[in-house]
Amino acid sequence: MTDSKNINNPVGQGGGQRKRLSRAERQNNGPHRNRDRQGAAAQKAELVRKMREKARAAEAAAQASDDAAQS
């Protein structure tokens, strides 16, 4: 019996039938990855928003202290 080298041919794999994987899924680039990427993009956007808010607050505080020092 020949051993299979192809993931879509379960001969010799053991463990029963396997789902046929598309090329994209074999490269871990299937439809599930799109949801993961959207979630990651949303997290990144939230993080950037928070960082900008902190930067604005720090800039405003620095501006206020400069104004007070000049008075």
Side-chain angles (χ1 to χ4, degrees):
M1 183 188 294
T2 61
D3 286 270
S4 174
K5 301 285 185 200
N6 183 349
I7 189 128
N8 286 330
N9 185 358
V11 175
Q13 293 289 328
Q17 294 181 337
R18 301 180 82 173
K19 176 184 178 288
R20 278 175 117 33
L21 297 175
S22 70
R23 186 175 182 190
E25 288 171 328
R26 276 184 270 146
Q27 294 172 346
N28 197 21
N29 195 13
H32 62 280
R33 185 168 182 253
N34 293 334
R35 283 193 304 271
D36 293 343
R37 292 177 71 192
Q38 287 170 351
Q43 264 185 329
K44 183 178 178 181
E46 181 69 15
L47 179 63
V48 168
R49 183 187 63 78
K50 286 181 181 179
M51 289 174 67
R52 285 187 178 146
E53 284 179 2
K54 284 183 182 179
R56 280 192 201 111
E59 189 176 308
Q63 187 73 19
S65 66
D66 288 346
D67 291 343
Q70 289 178 354
S71 300

